[in-house]
Amino acid sequence: MGELESIRVFLTVAAQQSFAGAARQLGMTPASVTRTVAALEAQLGVQLLVRTTRQVSLTSAGAGYA
């Protein structure tokens, strides 16, 4: 997946505040959305999202990147 596509996936997760919601909107599986965001975070060397069992929120770095 290209860098622009990874950014689009990240921005959709941030807007939806949900990996599953982003996956539905993008026509992807939740697992592929999770892997895409994790790969973007690894590439950037920074955590963009805080994940809990109930919600997803932006870190300060994630908010700046968005």
Side-chain angles (χ1 to χ4, degrees), residues 13 16-24 29-30 33-34 37 49 51 56:
V13 171
Q16 294 286 318
Q17 296 182 334
S18 164
F19 283 92
R24 280 190 298 275
T29 65
V33 169
T34 301
V37 172
L49 299 166
R51 300 148 175 89
V56 175

Side-chain angles (χ1 to χ4, degrees), residues 20-41:
R24 280 190 298 275
Q25 184 173 338
L26 296 168
M28 299 170 68
T29 65
S32 63
V33 169
T34 301
R35 281 192 303 270
T36 300
V37 172
L40 179 62
E41 289 175 324

Side-chain angles (χ1 to χ4, degrees), residues 10 41 44-50 57-66:
F10 161 69
E41 289 175 324
L44 296 172
V46 65
Q47 185 177 356
L48 300 172
L49 299 166
V50 176
S57 58
L58 291 169
T59 63
S60 58
Y65 191 73

Side-chain angles (χ1 to χ4, degrees), residues 1-12 26 28 36-37 40 43-44 65:
M1 183 170 293
E3 185 177 352
L4 288 178
E5 181 65 19
S6 297
I7 294 168
R8 185 172 75 94
V9 170
F10 161 69
L11 291 174
T12 304
L26 296 168
M28 299 170 68
T36 300
V37 172
L40 179 62
Q43 178 185 351
L44 296 172
Y65 191 73

